[in-house]
Amino acid sequence: MTKTSIIVAICLMLALNIAAKTKVHIVYLGERQHDHPDSVTESHHQMLWSILGSKEAAHESMVYSYRHGFSAFAAKLTDSQVIQLSELPEVVHVIRDRFYELQTTRTWDYLKHTSRHPKNLLNQTNMGDKVIIGVVDSGIWPESESFSDKGLGPIPKRWKGTCESKQSFNGSTVCNRKLIGAKYFISGLINGADESNWNTTENPEYISPRDFNGHGTHVAATAAGSFVPDASYLALGRGTARGGAPRARIAMYKACWHLASIGTATCSAADMLKAIDEAIHDGVDVLSISTSFPIPLFPEVDAQDAMAVGAFHAVAKGIPVVCSGGNAGPASQTVTNTAPWIITVAATTQDRSFPTLITLGNNITIVGQALYQGPDMDFTGLVYPEGPGASNETFSGVCEDLAKNPARIIKEKIVLCFTKSTDYGTLIQAASDVFNLDGYGVIVARNPGYQLNPCDGFPCLAVDYELGTDILFYIRSTRSPVAKIQPTRTLVGLPVATKVATFSSRGPSSITPAILKPDIAAPGVNILAATSPNDTFYDRGFSMKSGTSMSTPVVAGIVALLKSLHPHWSPAAIRSAIVTTAWRTDPSGEPIFADGSNRKLADPFDYGGGVVNSEKAAKPGLVYDMGVNDYVLYLCSVGYTDSSITRLVRKKTVCGNPKPSVLDLNLPSITIPNLAKEVTITRTVTNVGTVGSVYKAVIEAPMGVNVTVTPSTLVFNAKTRKLSFKVRVLTNHRVNTGYYFGSLTWTDSVHNVVIPLSVRTQILQRYYDEN
């Protein structure tokens, strides 16, 4: 080989190596600088052209142009190109694409969200007929009965969206007056995923808006599904299934894709941003997004948090954005989607359970939970694998290790095992292992509160550790332990108690603890709704799923109705109405506990304001309102630069000196994470009730904390719709404490406008500051 050819070969190798290192990045430019979308896109191409050197290279590199709600583009870039773009003065951020995770009939009766009263919210809004809910998720199964347009009028004239046609999805035939929009976004995933994670051969997906795994279908049906009579799942009772706003229109934006390699779905930030951008353009009224990214969190307007960035621009244009709080509970500081302009949702149980009776040989009956509809199982051998075995045998009562047990121990017996896992798949796998060893059933002892799933007719029951230990003691007390299992029953209403689900992520926020998150809670455990036939737990068109993914569309459906009833309310006003009127007991008046390690009483870091109460939210009396200017003050308070904020809002911004206090953000809550000295906090309320209302303050102070409100009476009239007040907070504690909780209520004897108070004393910090 000649010297010249060697040099050429090296150059080719270097070029290929550089090309191989391109990754999808999002170049965020803030608010649009051009009114026409085509001009915005042209400016993106020109910027990319200036870095890559040619128009062709710019077009080849470009993945998306975000040109409706904000200005940004996604492109395949090398590290050096990222540096060059970052140095351009008009660029706010250049960040690597990242991936989000999905957070996955009786609900509405439980929430008393029904149409039985002629003046209730559903009837007042014609069940949301004119409202359009945009869902960013895994697609939709349009043939489901939940998306029937029977009885619906014309599509709202303001709608600008479309239904795209691609693989197994003919938009011109499957869309209707109910499902009025369906788009899909996959370029970010394909250009950013490793070959091992994504290819069209290995992944049984639809490259179209059609839903493969059923998650998006379930979410859309929960938010706005039409009435479906006689819906049931595994014959566990029948009822009418519907969404929170059953006549609202649905627009699906598929940005989440099933990955066969990990058995679940993932969502590229670039794809999600594009979905939000399109939804803003198309004219949705509400956005429901059931995805989140794990801790650690990024700054709220850093494009690395695509959700917060996209949501900011949607909210600035009057579109409420409802997001899941995450499924990383019960540990504290795990809540996600914490930006103050997002409505963040926690998950609770509801007043429905699935008791499954286990009768032991000593005639003691234990109540487990299951979805078992097989025949009665008469007394059968019961075993907990333990004790010495042969030299080559392993005995283990750990659920994940059941397959290691010798078959003779498991055969024709019901098996008890224990697990620390929070993954519902552990129960499924334990059942599979016992079945493969010719066992007759499995009882899994685990932390309480996790979701239930059927095991293909095989008895798989869940009990908590206490009941599991009772069963274990019985097994150890007799030579021939036996048990029998009855089919699952369905129990609704009293005495089933409401609890914050174990998996539901908890506050305080790990990025800005002074911003209370989550905002609100709603049922998210064993929620029945439509699904895809590809769903593992598909049964006659429906499945039961659990997660903050499921509680999010419950709130989104209610937000849609509030938006219909009060079209001029801002997203912040709607959030305030929901938070200040929520149930802090369950609807029957019983206290709400938080499932987890110690089953404590729920507090604001578990459920925000409480469990959503749609009827009260429709008439809140007062609201804590906010707009873009308030969010700008927030951004200043947490240290964003003037230039970044200016680009975000397309308005010259200079933060004051000293910076505003984050404690003064006009939230429907007060959270003080580091109270050392006396602080005074300002809030403003807007009267949305009777013109001449007079409200008086009622304080439930956190333990060891003094709280006073000035003035203690608010008098409204025709000219005075907004009034401010100050809250003085002083701690009596002399040592560092955890959080103590209370509330501030404004009452006019008709309305009780309640905001939670959360205070933590940090004396040690004051000591260091003073010394």
Side-chain angles (χ1 to χ4, degrees):
M1 182 178 286
T2 66
K3 185 176 181 179
T4 302
S5 61
I6 291 173
I7 292 173
V8 171
I10 291 173
C11 290
L12 286 171
M13 290 175 64
L14 287 171
L16 289 172
N17 188 46
I18 290 172
K21 289 185 177 179
T22 61
K23 296 291 184 181
V24 175
H25 288 74
I26 299 169
V27 182
Y28 178 61
L29 306 170
E31 188 59 75
R32 298 187 308 164
Q33 300 299 308
H34 304 277
D35 292 329
H36 197 283
D38 291 344
S39 299
V40 178
T41 297
E42 180 60 28
S43 69
H44 296 163
H45 280 109
Q46 288 178 0
M47 182 179 293
L48 204 49
W49 182 359
S50 70
I51 299 297
L52 302 186
S54 73
K55 191 173 184 178
E56 292 74 17
H59 279 273
E60 176 64 26
S61 173
M62 185 75 75
V63 176
Y64 288 122
S65 173
Y66 309 102
R67 58 193 199 150
H68 300 298
F70 48 92
S71 178
F73 61 86
K76 292 173 284 184
L77 302 169
T78 65
D79 290 343
S80 63
Q81 290 162 355
V82 168
I83 293 172
Q84 293 178 69
L85 279 164
S86 299
E87 292 173 346
L88 296 178
E90 57 266 52
V91 173
V92 180
H93 304 291
V94 182
I95 58 94
R96 174 82 177 273
D97 193 13
R98 62 196 287 229
F99 295 90
Y100 288 77
E101 300 172 351
L102 296 171
Q103 302 296 319
T104 168
T105 59
R106 173 71 187 166
T107 302
W108 308 114
D109 286 335
Y110 161 73
L111 293 177
K112 305 188 187 305
H113 181 70
T114 67
S115 58
R116 292 168 189 161
H117 192 283
K119 292 186 178 181
N120 67 9
L121 182 59
L122 277 171
N123 287 325
Q124 283 182 297
T125 60
N126 194 19
M127 304 187 186
D129 181 59
K130 301 300 182 183
V131 183
I132 302 166
I133 301 178
V135 179
V136 180
D137 214 284
S138 66
I140 195 162
W141 196 266
E143 291 82 6
S144 169
E145 292 179 79
S146 292
F147 309 122
S148 166
D149 65 354
K150 184 178 179 181
L152 292 182
I155 296 171
K157 292 182 179 180
R158 68 183 187 282
W159 177 243
K160 294 186 286 186
T162 59
C163 283
E164 296 178 342
S165 296
K166 202 64 186 287
Q167 182 184 3
S168 302
F169 194 96
N170 186 338
S172 62
T173 58
V174 298
C175 286
N176 54 24
R177 292 169 298 180
K178 179 70 173 180
L179 177 61
I180 64 175
K183 297 180 178 180
Y184 69 99
F185 309 91
I186 195 173
S187 297
L189 178 65
I190 289 179
N191 288 288
D194 296 330
E195 286 295 323
S196 60
N197 285 342
W198 176 265
N199 65 64
T200 54
T201 302
E202 293 180 2
N203 284 280
E205 254 284 13
Y206 303 101
I207 312 302
S208 72
R210 185 172 291 278
D211 187 11
F212 177 80
N213 68 9
H215 189 279
T217 301
H218 198 281
V219 166
T222 301
S226 300
F227 286 88
V228 180
D230 294 325
S232 70
Y233 182 64
L234 299 177
L236 292 167
R238 290 183 173 274
T240 298
R242 67 169 177 86
R247 293 178 66 89
R249 316 308 170 100
I250 296 170
M252 174 58 68
Y253 299 87
K254 182 177 178 178
C256 301
W257 301 84
H258 183 81
L259 295 184
S261 59
I262 60 175
T264 186
T266 192
C267 325
S268 155
D271 293 334
M272 294 198 64
L273 261 181
K274 186 61 177 174
I276 296 171
D277 187 44
E278 289 291 311
I280 293 171
H281 165 267
D282 292 345
V284 303
D285 298 302
V286 178
L287 271 170
S288 180
I289 307 178
S290 291
T291 65
S292 66
F293 198 81
I295 304 296
L297 303 180
F298 288 94
E300 291 100 333
V301 292
D302 188 324
Q304 292 180 90
D305 191 342
M307 196 84 70
V309 171
F312 179 89
H313 291 286
V315 168
K317 292 168 176 61
I319 304 169
V321 180
V322 187
C323 293
S324 55
N327 295 342
S332 66
Q333 297 185 320
T334 52
V335 66
T336 62
N337 292 323
T338 58
W341 45 84
I342 290 174
I343 300 173
T344 309
V345 186
T348 70
T349 63
Q350 52 188 323
D351 60 344
R352 177 175 62 187
S353 66
F354 301 96
T356 308
L357 301 185
I358 308 164
T359 303
L360 305 179
N362 58 5
N363 288 325
I364 291 177
T365 297
I366 287 177
V367 181
Q369 293 281 313
L371 299 178
Y372 171 60
Q373 286 297 289
D376 276 26
M377 180 182 295
D378 208 347
F379 280 112
T380 302
L382 176 65
V383 63
Y384 174 73
E386 63 178 341
S391 59
N392 63 342
E393 290 182 331
T394 299
F395 285 4
S396 178
V398 176
C399 296
E400 291 84 346
D401 295 335
L402 288 180
K404 298 177 181 178
N405 288 289
R408 63 182 178 81
I409 299 298
I410 305 297
K411 186 176 182 180
E412 298 180 355
K413 293 185 178 68
I414 300 168
V415 180
L416 171 69
C417 68
F418 286 74
T419 182
K420 297 178 182 178
S421 172
T422 60
D423 185 356
Y424 75 88
T426 300
L427 189 148
I428 303 295
Q429 187 59 53
S432 176
D433 292 341
V434 171
F435 178 83
N436 291 334
L437 291 171
D438 295 325
Y440 283 170
V442 64
I443 301 170
V444 174
R446 62 184 185 180
N447 200 298
Y450 298 114
Q451 72 186 82
L452 299 173
N453 286 105
C455 300
D456 293 328
F458 188 77
C460 61
L461 291 74
V463 296
D464 64 20
Y465 292 135
E466 180 182 344
L467 295 177
T469 302
D470 289 344
I471 297 172
L472 177 59
F473 286 175
Y474 161 69
I475 292 173
R476 289 172 173 171
S477 71
T478 181
R479 289 186 177 182
S480 301
V482 293
K484 66 178 180 179
I485 297 172
Q486 297 180 30
T488 298
R489 304 172 183 176
T490 301
L491 182 64
V492 297
L494 297 174
V496 182
T498 300
K499 299 180 286 292
V500 177
T502 306
F503 59 74
S504 186
S505 292
R506 308 301 211 267
S509 166
S510 62
I511 187 168
T512 313
I515 306 298
L516 177 64
K517 291 289 174 174
D519 293 294
I520 196 69
V525 176
N526 296 324
I527 303 301
L528 179 66
T531 190
S532 157
N534 300 305
D535 188 341
T536 304
F537 306 110
Y538 178 89
D539 181 57
R540 287 165 287 186
F542 290 84
S543 72
M544 281 201 294
K545 296 182 184 294
S546 299
T548 52
S549 279
M550 283 61 251
S551 57
T552 297
V554 172
V555 174
I558 291 170
V559 167
L561 297 180
L562 294 175
K563 182 80 172 178
S564 176
L565 185 66
H566 304 290
H568 301 300
W569 279 12
S570 70
I574 290 175
R575 189 253 301 274
S576 174
I578 286 173
V579 171
T580 61
T581 60
W583 278 298
R584 292 189 294 163
T585 64
D586 76 6
S588 67
E590 293 295 319
I592 298 173
F593 284 81
D595 255 351
S597 57
N598 59 358
R599 299 185 183 182
K600 65 178 182 64
L601 279 170
D603 61 50
F605 293 141
D606 300 312
Y607 61 15
V611 177
V612 63
N613 182 339
S614 60
E615 291 303 315
K616 292 286 187 181
K619 299 176 181 179
L622 304 176
V623 295
Y624 293 76
D625 203 0
M626 286 191 289
V628 170
N629 289 339
D630 297 278
Y631 298 129
V632 168
L633 291 175
Y634 164 75
L635 299 175
C636 289
S637 74
V638 296
Y640 283 94
T641 64
D642 294 350
S643 57
S644 293
I645 300 171
T646 296
R647 292 191 188 99
L648 178 73
V649 300
R650 200 182 178 185
K651 181 181 179 181
K652 179 66 175 177
T653 300
V654 178
C655 292
N657 188 16
K659 296 186 299 186
S661 170
V662 68
L663 297 178
D664 286 333
L665 186 64
N666 203 41
L667 293 165
S669 60
I670 293 176
T671 306
I672 308 174
N674 53 359
L675 181 64
K677 303 176 181 179
E678 175 184 323
V679 299
T680 300
I681 298 165
T682 301
R683 288 290 187 274
T684 301
V685 287
T686 302
N687 182 22
V688 293
T690 305
V691 172
S693 298
V694 176
Y695 284 85
K696 294 186 177 181
V698 178
I699 300 168
E700 180 187 336
M703 188 177 78
V705 177
N706 290 332
V707 181
T708 56
V709 177
T710 308
S712 60
T713 300
L714 300 177
V715 180
F716 297 92
N717 54 46
K719 293 182 178 180
T720 305
R721 293 187 60 249
K722 291 189 176 186
L723 287 172
S724 297
F725 60 91
K726 294 186 180 299
V727 182
R728 177 179 171 270
V729 185
L730 178 66
T731 180
N732 296 324
H733 296 285
R734 297 187 178 184
V735 297
N736 285 0
T737 71
Y739 280 94
Y740 290 103
F741 304 98
S743 64
L744 165 60
T745 303
W746 288 105
T747 181
D748 66 348
S749 76
V750 176
H751 305 93
N752 291 313
V753 186
V754 186
I755 64 172
L757 304 178
S758 310
V759 180
R760 180 176 64 172
T761 301
Q762 290 288 78
I763 300 295
L764 188 61
Q765 184 64 49
R766 183 175 69 183
Y767 173 83
Y768 281 114
D769 290 343
E770 293 175 349
N771 294 276

